[in-house]
C-alpha cells in the first residue's frame, strides 16, 4: 500500500523519536514526565483517551476503559486500538475523549496549529488536554547551541514556552489550569537525581528539561452540541483504517448510551 509523502515523513519522525525515547536519556525524561502525569490521572474518570506521541504510553496508569494510541502508518501501529491517521485530521467525533495527551509533537509536526485544534476539538468539555513540551530555558536547551544537533531528536524543531502555548490554547477556547516542570538535573547528566527532581517538583521551578500543561475548555465559551466548528478532514478514506476505527468508536458510544 502506498503512503503519502507526509505520512512517510511522519513515519520517519516517529521511528527517530522511538529510538530516542528508548535510550537511557529518553527513559529518564519519560519517568519524570510520568510522575508529573500521575496526579492528573488520579482525578480522571472517563471512557476514552488518546495519546499523540512517539514514546511508549505515559497514561497507562489512568483509569480509562478505552485508551487509544496514535501512529502515522499501519506499520508503526503497535496495538489494535492504535489510531492510524495524520495527527491534524483525527477521525473522531467532537468532545468524545476524557483525556488527550500531546507528547512532544507540537515541536516537530508540519502543522502544529491545526494539530492543536484537532486535539482540542475531540477533548470533552470536562476532559483534560495535556501537552508535554521541551523547555527553551533548560539544561537540555544548552545542547541545542551546537547547530548540527538541531537536525536530530530531541533537539530538532521549535521549542516554545508555556506562555506561547497559552496564546495558542486561547485561540481554541482552552485555558491553562496548571503548568508543571519535570526532568531536573545538572548540565551533562541525566535527569535521574532524585533530590533535584524532588526539590524542583516541590517548588515547581521552571528549570526542568520539559513541562506539562494541563488545559481545559473555558466554561463560559462552551457551545451547545451541534454548533461546534467542523474541521476539514482532507485525508478522508486514505487515513489507512482510521475511519473504520472511528465508526467502531461511535458504535461503542451508542451501546453505552442505550445501556444507561
Amino acid at each position: 500500500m502506498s503512503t503519502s509523502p507526509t505520512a512517510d515523513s511522519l513515519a520517519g519522525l516517529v521511528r527517530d523519536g522511538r529510538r530516542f525515547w528508548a535510550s537511557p536519556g529518553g527513559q529518564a525524561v519519560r519517568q519524570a514526565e510520568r510522575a508529573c502525569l500521575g496526579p492528573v490521572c488520579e482525578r480522571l474518570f472517563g471512557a476514552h483517551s488518546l495519546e499523540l506521541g512517539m514514546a511508549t504510553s505515559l497514561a497507562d496508569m489512568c483509569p480509562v476503559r478505552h485508551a487509544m494510541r496514535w501512529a502515522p502508518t499501519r506499520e508503526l501501529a503497535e496495538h489494535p486500538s492504535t489510531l492510524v491517521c495524520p495527527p491534524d485530521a483525527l477521525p473522531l467525533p467532537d468532545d468524545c475523549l476524557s483525556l488527550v495527551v500531546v507528547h512532544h509533537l507540537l515541536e516537530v509536526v508540519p502543522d502544529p496549529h491545526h494539530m492543536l485544534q484537532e486535539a482540542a476539538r475531540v477533548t470533552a468539555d470536562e476532559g483534560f488536554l495535556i501537552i508535554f513540551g521541551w523547555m527553551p530555558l533548560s539544561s537540555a536547551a544548552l545542547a541545542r547551541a551546537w547547530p548540527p544537533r538541531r537536525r536530530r531528536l530531541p533537539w530538532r524543531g521549535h521549542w516554545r514556552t508555556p506562555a506561547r502555548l497559552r496564546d495558542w490554547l486561547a485561540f481554541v477556547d482552552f485555558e491553562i489550569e496548571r503548568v508543571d516542570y519535570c526532568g531536573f538535573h545538572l548540565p551533562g547528566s541525566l535527569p535521574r537525581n532524585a533530590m533535584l527532581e524532588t526539590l524542583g517538583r516541590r517548588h515547581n521551578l521552571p528549570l526542568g528539561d520539559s513541562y506539562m500543561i494541563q488545559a481545559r475548555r473555558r466554561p463560559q465559551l462552551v457551545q451547545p452540541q451541534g454548533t461546534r466548528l467542523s474541521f476539514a478532514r482532507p485525508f478522508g478514506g486514505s487515513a489507512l483504517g482510521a475511519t473504520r476505527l472511528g465508526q467502531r468508536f461511535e458504535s461503542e458510544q451508542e451501546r453505552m448510551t442505550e445501556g444507561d
Side-chain angles (χ1 to χ4, degrees):
M1 177 181 295
S2 63
T3 56
S4 68
T6 300
D8 289 339
S9 176
L10 285 171
L13 177 69
V14 170
R15 291 189 186 96
D16 290 345
R18 288 180 179 179
R19 282 192 288 270
F20 165 72
W21 290 107
S23 70
Q27 286 292 310
V29 174
R30 177 186 173 276
Q31 289 300 323
E33 293 177 340
R34 197 170 185 270
C36 281
L37 184 60
V40 178
C41 289
E42 292 175 358
R43 299 185 284 123
L44 177 70
F45 297 93
H48 308 285
S49 68
L50 173 64
E51 286 190 58
L52 296 159
M54 299 174 284
T56 55
S57 178
L58 287 174
D60 52 354
M61 82 289 275
C62 294
V64 176
R65 285 177 288 172
H66 181 213
M68 293 181 290
R69 300 296 309 283
W70 165 81
T73 63
R74 281 188 187 277
E75 292 76 16
L76 292 173
E78 298 179 326
H79 193 273
S81 64
T82 299
L83 196 66
V84 180
C85 64
D88 57 359
L90 303 177
L92 297 172
D94 295 353
D95 307 331
C96 63
L97 303 177
S98 302
L99 173 67
V100 176
V101 178
V102 179
H103 186 256
H104 296 289
L105 275 186
L106 291 178
E107 294 97 335
V108 291
V109 294
D111 191 351
H113 293 90
H114 199 185
M115 179 184 172
L116 183 62
Q117 287 178 330
E118 281 289 88
R121 179 184 65 81
V122 299
T123 303
D125 291 342
E126 300 303 320
F128 286 96
L129 174 57
I130 304 295
I131 301 172
F132 284 95
W134 297 111
M135 190 64 184
L137 302 175
S138 65
S139 297
L142 296 177
R144 303 184 77 221
W146 190 42
R149 277 193 170 178
R150 296 198 178 197
R151 295 194 292 266
R152 308 199 310 265
L153 289 174
W155 301 285
R156 65 182 288 186
H158 300 280
W159 291 18
R160 303 174 180 91
T161 64
R164 179 60 174 160
L165 291 183
R166 185 185 301 274
D167 296 336
W168 287 23
L169 286 163
F171 183 77
V172 293
D173 296 340
F174 270 68
E175 60 185 2
I176 294 178
E177 287 194 339
R178 180 178 173 87
V179 179
D180 289 283
Y181 300 94
C182 43
F184 298 91
H185 62 97
L186 297 176
S189 64
L190 296 179
R192 288 177 173 168
N193 189 311
M195 182 180 68
L196 286 179
E197 192 71 23
T198 300
L199 182 65
R201 290 284 309 282
R202 178 181 299 164
H203 299 285
N204 205 22
L205 301 174
L207 301 174
D209 280 354
S210 63
Y211 54 82
M212 182 188 76
I213 291 175
Q214 300 179 42
R216 303 186 83 168
R217 182 167 287 111
R218 291 175 175 174
Q220 70 272 21
L221 295 178
V222 172
Q223 300 176 5
Q225 188 174 5
T227 63
R228 294 287 308 283
L229 179 62
S230 177
F231 293 97
R233 297 182 178 86
F235 292 86
S238 65
L240 301 179
T243 300
R244 185 176 67 254
L245 189 151
Q247 292 171 346
R248 185 164 68 248
F249 179 92
E250 292 177 334
S251 298
E252 181 180 341
Q253 282 198 317
E254 292 173 357
R255 287 197 300 272
M256 291 172 61
T257 302
E258 292 173 356
D260 293 339

